[in-house]
């Protein structure tokens, strides 16, 4: 018998397991799938974070109009918006025309204040757009005692 | 042995990945809800209430009170628009106010509450505009312009049929039209003294005189603020004290 065919060359006790130790092919595919899902979710998180930030950012528009008394005379009344972004107020010009800028978009309550009374006008303001409320006639006889 | 170690490591790594995936799913859910305006913490609070004991509602607890036995205390007199008088004082433990004057409680923030002024006594100084108003959910601004709500009592007089109304204020202007207006109760004894009270509960605003509901209004412009009091141009006022209390389970 040739030496190479001797049974001693095949020792079950020290035989190395030459089988492939890598995970089964199915496990590799599962791990890859999980990683793809994780990557997609991570992209979704980033996108949602961006959208949340964009939604929270304030957008502004402008309101214009004319203020007069019941006789049609221009009136120097204080014009402002209640609520968010309403720190600014304006007074109409000599013709009663006013422009109120930097108004946070949305449904807003415009106030025309004169002699202690504020006349309320509802107006919807859109982003980078001008909302014209037209002519506001103020009853100057109203008073607050 | 090495195979077993390799398999254990492989299992542990999967657990980490699964945990990471769950965390990402949770983040996506939370951010999506926030984008649609859902308050996630409010939702969690409601869920815990469903599964846990409902929190006991407080009975009416006093949030603030002033008996004016030691002066005006924390209250400050103010000029609001055309209200130029600053004549507020205390006398014998009672609040005393001249006509057309206002006081305000700075540094407080109440959202839902009951605000009462006890034992109010109005003295006419003119034949109209005899009354007083309670400011609530108010912001005194720079001390000159007030924003918030007022519960206004205008008692009947020679030139005034008498009205009660709840109105909104913005930057020192009383907003017209008023939120709600009713006639003053015709059979009420306006010459005596009475308790005036306002209740703010969410968007519902209620006015009471001597414990009787006389007016309600709905508005959500202002959600919180402090309190104030002012006299109208046709009367002066004295009062025993003021109190702000929470709304209990009653």
């Amino acid at each position: 018998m040739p030496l190479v065919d001797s049974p001693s060359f095949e020792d079950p006790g020290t035989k190395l397991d030459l089988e492939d130790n890598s995970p089964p092919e199915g496990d590799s595919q599962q791990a890859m799938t999980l990683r793809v899902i994780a990557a997609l979710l991570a992209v979704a998180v980033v996108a949602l974070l961006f959208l949340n930030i964009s939604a929270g950012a304030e957008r502004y528009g402008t309101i214009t109009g004319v203020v007069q008394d019941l006789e049609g005379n221009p009136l120097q009344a204080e014009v402002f918006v209640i609520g968010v972004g309403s720190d600014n107020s304006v007074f109409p010009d000599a013709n009663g025309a006013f422009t109120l800028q930097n108004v946070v978009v949305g449904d807003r309550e415009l106030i025309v204040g004169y002699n202690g009374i504020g006349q309320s006008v509802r107006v919807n303001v859109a982003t980078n757009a001008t909302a014209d409320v037209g002519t506001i006639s103020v009853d100057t006889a109203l008073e607050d005692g | 042995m090495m195979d077993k170690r390799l398999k254990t490591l492989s299992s542990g790594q999967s657990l980490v990945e699964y945990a990471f995936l769950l965390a990402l799913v949770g983040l996506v859910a939370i951010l999506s809800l926030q984008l649609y305006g859902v308050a996630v913490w409010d939702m969690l609070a409601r869920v815990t209430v469903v599964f846990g004991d409902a929190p006991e509602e407080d009975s009416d607890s006093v949030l603030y009170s002033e008996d004016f036995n030691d002066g005006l205390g924390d209250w400050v007199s103010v000029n609001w628009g055309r209200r130029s008088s600053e004549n507020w004082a205390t006398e014998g433990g009672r609040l005393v106010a001249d006509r057309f004057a206002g006081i305000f409680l700075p540094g407080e923030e109440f959202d839902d509450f009951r605000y009462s002024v006890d034992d109010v006594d109005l003295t006419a100084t003119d034949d109209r505009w005899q009354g007083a108003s309670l400011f609530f959910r108010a912001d005194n601004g720079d001390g000159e312009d007030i924003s918030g709500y007022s519960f206004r009592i205008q008692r009947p007089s020679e030139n005034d049929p008498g009205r009660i109304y709840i109105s909104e204020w913005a930057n020192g202007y009383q907003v017209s039209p008023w939120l709600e207006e009713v006639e003053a109760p015709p059979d009420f004894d306006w010459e005596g003294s009475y308790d005036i009270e306002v209740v703010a509960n969410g968007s519902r605003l209620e006015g009471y005189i001597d414990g009787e509901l006389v007016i309600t209004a709905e508005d959500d412009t202002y959600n919180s603020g402090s309190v104030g009091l002012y006299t109208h141009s046709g009367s002066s006022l004295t009062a025993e004290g003021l109190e702000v209390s929470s709304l209990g389970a009653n």
Side-chain angles (χ1 to χ4, degrees):
Chain A
M1 182 193 316
L3 189 61
V4 297
D5 293 329
S6 169
S8 65
F9 277 88
E10 198 174 308
D11 182 359
T14 60
K15 181 178 177 183
L16 291 174
D17 186 358
L18 297 178
E19 291 179 6
D20 189 356
N21 286 332
S22 61
E25 194 173 315
D27 287 349
S28 295
Q29 287 178 345
Q30 184 184 12
M32 182 58 69
T33 303
L34 287 174
R35 289 189 184 106
V36 168
I37 292 173
L40 288 173
L41 284 172
V43 169
V45 166
V46 171
L48 283 169
L49 274 171
F50 177 75
L51 285 171
N52 268 281
I53 291 169
S54 299
E58 289 186 339
R59 293 179 283 274
Y60 301 94
T62 300
I63 301 175
T64 59
V66 175
V67 179
Q68 62 185 24
D69 60 21
L70 294 183
E71 285 74 42
N73 302 311
L75 192 67
Q76 286 298 294
E78 185 176 6
V79 181
F80 58 94
V81 163
I82 294 180
V84 181
S86 61
D87 292 338
N88 58 328
S89 67
V90 296
F91 285 85
D93 61 19
N95 297 318
F98 71 88
T99 299
L100 190 60
Q101 297 177 321
N102 298 321
V103 180
V104 176
V105 301
D107 288 325
R108 298 287 163 231
E109 187 174 3
L110 180 74
I111 301 295
V112 179
Y114 185 82
N115 201 28
I117 300 294
Q119 189 157 322
S120 170
V121 178
R122 288 280 177 185
V123 55
N124 185 273
V125 179
T127 305
N128 297 326
T130 298
D132 185 6
V133 296
T135 299
I136 300 171
S137 296
V138 177
D139 183 358
T140 56
L142 273 181
E143 56 180 332
D144 168 39
Chain B
M1 179 80 80
M2 185 174 288
D3 289 344
K4 285 183 184 174
R5 253 206 310 266
L6 283 172
K7 284 178 184 172
T8 302
L9 281 173
S10 175
S11 297
Q13 191 175 21
S14 294
L15 284 174
V16 169
E17 286 180 340
Y18 283 127
F20 181 64
L21 276 174
L22 279 174
L24 282 175
V25 169
L27 264 177
V28 167
I30 290 172
L31 289 172
S32 300
L33 288 170
Q34 282 186 340
L35 194 59
Y36 284 98
V38 176
V40 176
W41 292 116
D42 286 349
M43 228 171 60
L44 287 175
R46 285 178 201 165
V47 168
T48 55
V49 167
V50 168
F51 288 103
D53 293 330
E56 287 185 14
E57 287 193 11
D58 295 329
S59 56
D60 279 10
S61 58
V62 176
L63 303 174
Y64 177 87
S65 69
E66 177 59 67
D67 58 13
F68 299 111
N69 286 331
D70 295 313
L72 284 178
D74 300 321
W75 292 77
V76 296
S77 59
V78 289
N79 288 334
W80 287 325
R82 298 176 302 122
R83 291 165 186 80
S84 58
S85 171
E86 293 186 346
N87 292 331
W88 289 84
T90 59
E91 191 175 304
R94 286 182 69 82
L95 178 67
V96 179
D98 199 356
R99 55 181 288 275
F100 221 26
I103 55 170
F104 185 78
L105 180 64
E108 295 286 348
E109 193 86 10
F110 309 109
D111 42 25
D112 294 344
F113 57 88
R114 186 184 313 273
Y115 169 37
S116 56
V117 183
D118 301 326
D119 201 28
V120 175
D121 195 346
L122 292 172
T123 301
T125 59
D126 202 347
D127 58 6
R128 60 183 303 213
W129 299 115
Q130 297 172 15
S133 297
L134 273 59
F135 271 114
F136 58 103
R137 285 187 179 167
D139 179 355
N140 198 32
D142 57 3
E144 293 287 328
D145 301 323
I146 196 161
S147 299
Y149 298 112
S150 71
F151 168 44
R152 184 183 177 106
I153 296 172
Q154 194 81 355
R155 71 179 196 181
S157 63
E158 186 178 332
N159 291 316
D160 198 326
R163 289 163 294 160
I164 294 173
Y165 46 100
I166 293 177
S167 54
E168 179 186 332
W169 288 72
N171 293 4
Y173 297 98
Q174 188 170 188
V175 178
S176 171
W178 324 135
L179 294 176
E180 192 61 56
E181 179 177 349
V182 298
E183 288 184 1
D187 54 352
F188 189 80
D189 179 15
W190 293 103
E191 296 305 320
S193 60
Y194 30 86
D195 300 334
I196 307 173
E197 186 177 277
V198 67
V199 172
N201 190 1
S203 61
R204 184 174 172 86
L205 314 172
E206 301 174 341
Y208 295 79
I209 301 177
D210 273 354
E212 183 180 338
L213 178 66
V214 295
I215 190 170
T216 61
E218 289 278 343
D219 191 78
D220 59 4
T221 302
Y222 302 109
N223 299 316
S224 66
S226 191
V227 293
L229 175 66
Y230 81 91
T231 56
H232 302 173
S233 62
S235 61
S236 59
L237 168 152
T238 66
E240 183 64 28
L242 311 101
E243 184 175 281
V244 180
S245 57
S246 63
L247 300 178
N250 298 335

